[in-house]
Amino acid sequence: MAPVLEADRLRALIPSEPWNRVDIVDEVGSTNAVLMADPQPWRVLVADHQTSGRGRLERSWQAPAGLGISMSVTLPLPQEPVRWGWVPLLVGLATRRAIARITGLSAGLKWPNDLLLTIGDGQQRKVGGILCEVAPGGDPTVVAGIGLNVWQTNDQLPTEAATSLSLNGSTADREDIVAAVLEELVAIEGVWGDPVRDDDYRAACVTLGQRVKVQVSHDRSSGGRAVDIDEHGRLVVDDGEQRVPHSVGDIIHVRPDAASIRPQDRSAFVDRMEQRLMGSPRTLRRADVAELAGSRPGLPQELWRAMGFANARDEDIVFNRRDVEAVRGIERIIDRGLVDAETAVRLARAVGRSTDRMEMWMLQLVSDMMTAEQDLEVDTTTAFDVAERLIAIADEMTPLIDYVSRRNLANAISRMVADAEPESHVGVVRTVGFADLVSFTSLVRTTSERDLAELVTSFETTVSDVVAQAGGAVVKTVGDEVLFTHRSIAGGIRIAFDLLEAVARTPKLPRLRIGVATGRVLARQGDVYGHTVNRASRLTSTAAPGEILVDGDVAREALTVPDADVFDVGLVHLPGVGDVQASAISRSPRSDSQEDA
Ligand code: BTN
C-alpha cells in the first residue's frame, strides 16, 4: 500500500521564503492549468490526483490517485530571453538532483526534460516529465509542472515505456521528494541566467551522443547524432552534412535510432505487447486448455488451425485463460445443439479470416498515419510506436467491432429474409457490378509506394461511401477493382453512375470502367459466384475507360430510370460467357441541371 500524502507534514517541510503560497489538494484537473490562471510568482500547488493532467505537445499525463507526484510552481523567468529555452531543461536537472538526493536513484535526462531510469535489462523507462508554460501577462513568469511516478506498479503505469521510483527500489515518501524538488528549484533559479550550470545538464543528458531520429511533424523526420545543446537550449543534431539545431516546440519526438535497438529488445517487446493484448502471459499447453474448457481433446487445436494461427505442438506453452474462454464459448454452442462441431469450426474460420484482414487494415491505417518516410518503410522504433498506439486504441475499438458485427448480422438477416422465396431456387437475385480502375498496372510501375497506398485507400473509401449511400453492399475490393451488389437493378445503376462521378472527382484516381449484370447469384463466405457475376466481370473488361456496359435486363430497367441514357451496343462476345446483348448507359446531363434548379 502506498503511504498517503500527508498535507500537514509536507507543508511543514516547505519554507515560506520564497514559497509564499502553498496549496496541497486532493484532486484538481491540472496543477499547471490552475497556476496558469493565477500566476503569482513563487506559488506551489501539489495535488494527490489530477483528473486531466497535461503533458507536452497536447498529450495527457496520467497517474492514479495517491501514487504519484503532480506539482506545479511559478518561477520568475531569467532576465535574458535567450536563456528561456534552458528553463525547462534546468527544471529537469533540479528534479534529477532531488531524486538522487532522496532516493539514491540516478535519473537520466532525455532532452528536453523527460526523466528516465535504467531498469534491470538495460532499457530506459520514463519516471517523470516536465511541462513548462510561460504565464500570460505581468512579469515574465514560468509555470513549471512536474509529474513523477512514485508508487505505481507496472499495472498502474500508462504505458510499457514508463516506470516508477518504487519499482526501482525507492521507498522514499512523496513529501520528502516534493520538498527536495522545491529546494533544488530555488537553488537552480538563483543561477539560471548563468550558462555554467548547463554543463551539469549536458552531463546528465542521455540524448547527447545518441543516434537520434527527430520527428519534426507527422510526416517529416530527420536523423543523425545528437551532439550538443546550444545557448538557446536547442538540441543540435549532426546529420553527416551539417549541424541542425532543433527547438523544443518544433519537435514531436526524439527517439533513439532504430539501429540502436537490439534483436532481443524486439522479441521482448513483442512478448510484452502480446501479454498486454491477451491480458496474461502464456502459461498453458493445448491439453491444459482442453481440460480447463471441458472440451473434447482435439477441439482447441482444430479451432486454432481454423482461425489461421500457427499450429501448436503438444508441449508448446502458448495459451492462456483467453484461449480457454474462447474454446469454452464454442463448446457451449455445440453442447446446446445450436450448431454441430463441423459448423462451429467453420464459424471460427470465418471469424479468423475476416478479423485478420480487419486487423491488418487497421494496423496499416495507423501506421500510414504515423510513418514519416516517403517510401513507407517502417523502422523498428516506428513499429514500436505504431504497436503502442494500436494497443492504446484496442480496448476502445472492441465495443465498436462488436457493434458493427451485430449491425452487419442484422443487415444480413434482413437480406436473407427478404430473399427467402416460397419456391426453392438456387441462389438469390442480385444486380452485380464490377468497377475497375483503368491502367492501374502501369500506374503501379510509375507511382511511389506511398502514393499507391494513398490511391488504393482513397479508392476504397470512395467506393464504400458511394455503395453504402445507395444501399448496396461491397462484396470485395482487390486493389484496383471492386465488386458490389444491390438488391434492385435501379440501385445497381445508381451505384455505377455515382461511382463513375465520384472517382472522376477524386484527385489522382484514374478513370473507371464498369460492368453491370443482373440475375441469380450464389452467395458463399461473403463472396458471390455464378453466371451473373461472370457476365458483369466480362462486361467490365470490355468497357472503354469512363464507360458503363450493362446486360439486356439492366438496360431494359435503365430505360425506366429518369436520369439514365441508354445506347444499344448490340451483340458482344464475352470470352467464357458467350454472346450478350450489351448497352452502354450514362447519367443524362439533363438531370444535373434539374437538380441545380
Ligand atoms: C510530459 O512528460 O509530457 C510532461 C508531463 C508533465 C506532467 C505534470 S504533472 C503536474 C503538472 N500538471 C499538469 O497538468 N502537467 C504537469
Side-chain angles (χ1 to χ4, degrees):
M1 266 281 279
V4 293
L5 182 74
E6 289 181 22
D8 289 343
R9 182 162 111 73
L10 175 55
R11 212 179 292 279
L13 292 172
I14 303 175
S16 56
E17 182 55 43
W19 304 109
N20 57 37
R21 178 167 169 193
V22 177
D23 293 299
I24 301 162
V25 298
D26 286 339
E27 190 172 286
V28 73
S30 149
T31 53
N32 259 43
V34 172
L35 294 198
M36 282 295 278
D38 183 12
Q40 317 153 27
W42 300 107
R43 247 189 103 172
V44 183
L45 174 59
V46 182
D48 197 37
H49 183 220
Q50 292 185 116
T51 50
S52 42
R54 307 197 307 219
R56 291 179 50 237
L57 300 163
E58 312 291 319
R59 297 185 191 124
S60 65
W61 177 262
Q62 291 160 17
L67 301 180
I69 289 176
S70 303
M71 60 186 286
S72 297
V73 298
T74 31
L75 301 168
L77 277 163
Q79 301 285 332
E80 293 294 326
V82 72
R83 293 287 303 161
W84 289 11
W86 269 93
V87 164
L89 316 194
L90 294 177
V91 171
L93 182 63
T95 311
R96 168 189 145 83
R97 286 181 178 162
I99 291 173
R101 185 146 62 82
I102 303 297
T103 69
L105 292 168
S106 170
L109 292 164
K110 179 180 159 202
W111 184 89
N113 48 16
D114 282 352
L115 290 129
L116 307 183
L117 288 177
T118 305
I119 61 167
D121 59 1
Q123 284 187 42
Q124 291 182 319
R125 301 217 180 150
K126 180 162 168 174
V127 73
I130 284 155
L131 172 66
C132 286
E133 300 175 274
V134 175
D139 292 334
T141 305
V142 63
V143 173
I146 298 156
L148 290 175
N149 300 325
V150 181
W151 292 112
Q152 285 96 325
T153 59
N154 274 321
D155 292 346
Q156 293 162 328
L157 289 163
T159 73
E160 271 290 303
T163 189
S164 69
L165 294 174
S166 68
L167 280 171
N168 290 272
S170 160
T171 52
D173 285 335
R174 287 183 289 166
E175 297 84 341
D176 294 317
I177 302 171
V178 170
V181 169
L182 293 174
E183 267 176 50
E184 295 294 343
L185 283 173
V186 173
I188 216 131
E189 188 275 340
V191 289
W192 69 11
D194 171 7
V196 173
R197 304 289 138 180
D198 302 352
D199 279 340
D200 289 355
Y201 177 88
R202 288 191 181 91
C205 178
V206 294
T207 314
L208 286 180
Q210 261 187 358
R211 287 201 63 79
V212 293
K213 189 155 135 195
V214 181
Q215 187 97 34
V216 183
S217 66
H218 284 292
D219 59 0
R220 202 159 63 83
S221 71
S222 65
R225 192 170 295 281
V227 288
D228 196 10
I229 317 266
D230 72 6
E231 69 276 21
H232 301 277
R234 296 178 301 188
L235 183 71
V236 182
V237 176
D238 187 342
D239 66 9
E241 285 175 9
Q242 50 178 344
R243 292 159 74 100
V244 187
H246 295 278
S247 33
V248 178
D250 300 342
I251 291 184
I252 296 176
H253 255 322
V254 176
R255 301 169 304 178
D257 197 303
S260 55
I261 295 171
R262 301 164 304 168
Q264 62 265 42
D265 295 339
R266 291 170 212 231
S267 56
F269 177 85
V270 171
D271 287 350
R272 285 198 305 275
M273 291 295 129
E274 180 186 314
Q275 227 178 87
R276 280 169 64 191
L277 278 173
M278 301 305 288
S280 55
R282 303 166 161 206
T283 49
L284 306 173
R285 296 182 182 82
R286 210 166 65 193
D288 304 327
V289 175
E291 192 187 322
L292 288 168
S295 79
R296 66 209 77 193
L299 189 66
Q301 179 79 340
E302 244 186 298
L303 288 175
W304 249 54
R305 211 178 302 133
M307 287 184 286
F309 304 140
N311 230 343
R313 291 167 305 175
D314 283 350
E315 63 275 23
D316 292 341
I317 300 179
V318 290
F319 301 101
N320 72 8
R321 59 176 177 75
R322 287 244 170 176
D323 298 272
V324 175
E325 278 159 26
V327 174
R328 238 185 234 145
I330 295 283
E331 192 64 55
R332 263 198 306 271
I333 59 173
I334 301 172
D335 284 352
R336 287 170 61 198
L338 296 171
V339 296
D340 57 30
E342 203 182 341
T343 308
V345 172
R346 286 182 178 162
L347 286 175
R349 182 170 296 118
V351 173
R353 287 242 190 108
S354 7
T355 47
D356 176 42
R357 175 145 200 263
M358 176 183 80
E359 295 301 346
M360 288 303 294
W361 192 339
M362 296 201 312
L363 183 148
Q364 196 60 57
L365 291 174
V366 173
S367 162
D368 285 354
M369 184 190 80
M370 293 177 69
T371 47
E373 286 76 18
Q374 283 299 308
D375 53 5
L376 279 189
E377 286 301 320
V378 174
D379 65 22
T380 311
T381 40
T382 312
F384 283 12
D385 286 350
V386 172
E388 284 282 0
R389 189 69 62 91
L390 283 162
I391 289 178
I393 64 173
D395 285 346
E396 302 298 340
M397 293 302 286
T398 305
L400 180 75
I401 294 166
D402 183 51
Y403 159 78
V404 175
S405 148
R406 283 165 189 274
R407 267 257 167 269
N408 277 334
L409 180 60
N411 289 341
I413 289 173
S414 131
R415 283 198 295 269
M416 176 186 71
V417 171
D419 286 335
E421 291 180 26
E423 74 276 29
S424 140
H425 283 295
V426 176
V428 293
V429 174
R430 285 284 180 274
T431 298
V432 178
F434 274 94
D436 179 35
L437 286 173
V438 179
S439 347
F440 189 77
T441 323
S442 62
L443 204 71
V444 169
R445 279 199 300 272
T446 53
T447 311
S448 75
E449 279 189 12
R450 174 167 285 276
D451 283 349
L452 204 61
E454 259 173 34
L455 211 125
V456 169
T457 309
S458 146
F459 179 51
E460 292 203 335
T461 312
T462 306
V463 166
S464 314
D465 288 354
V466 165
V467 175
Q469 207 130 37
V474 175
V475 177
K476 60 185 173 194
T477 48
V478 188
D480 58 338
E481 195 171 61
V482 58
L483 168 57
F484 62 86
T485 60
H486 200 286
R487 296 168 42 75
S488 75
I489 302 178
I493 292 173
R494 177 178 161 198
I495 292 177
F497 286 165
D498 290 352
L499 266 183
L500 213 58
E501 286 168 11
V503 166
R505 276 195 307 269
T506 311
K508 291 194 192 159
L509 282 182
R511 285 211 288 171
L512 270 188
R513 53 182 180 175
I514 301 179
V516 186
T518 194
R520 287 202 172 273
V521 298
L522 187 66
R524 280 289 176 278
Q525 290 156 347
D527 211 337
V528 285
Y529 304 88
H531 293 308
T532 312
V533 180
N534 296 346
R535 206 159 55 245
S537 164
R538 293 300 182 197
L539 282 166
T540 310
S541 356
T542 312
E547 190 177 48
I548 305 171
L549 274 189
V550 302
D551 68 3
D553 287 345
V554 176
R556 261 185 295 287
E557 176 79 17
L559 288 170
T560 69
V561 173
D563 61 350
D565 289 336
V566 184
F567 312 93
D568 187 12
V569 175
L571 265 193
V572 175
H573 182 75
L574 303 178
V577 172
D579 292 340
V580 167
Q581 185 67 41
S583 299
I585 60 169
S586 59
R587 182 167 266 160
S588 100
R590 268 192 326 266
S591 65
D592 290 345
S593 51
Q594 277 163 12
E595 272 169 28
D596 287 348

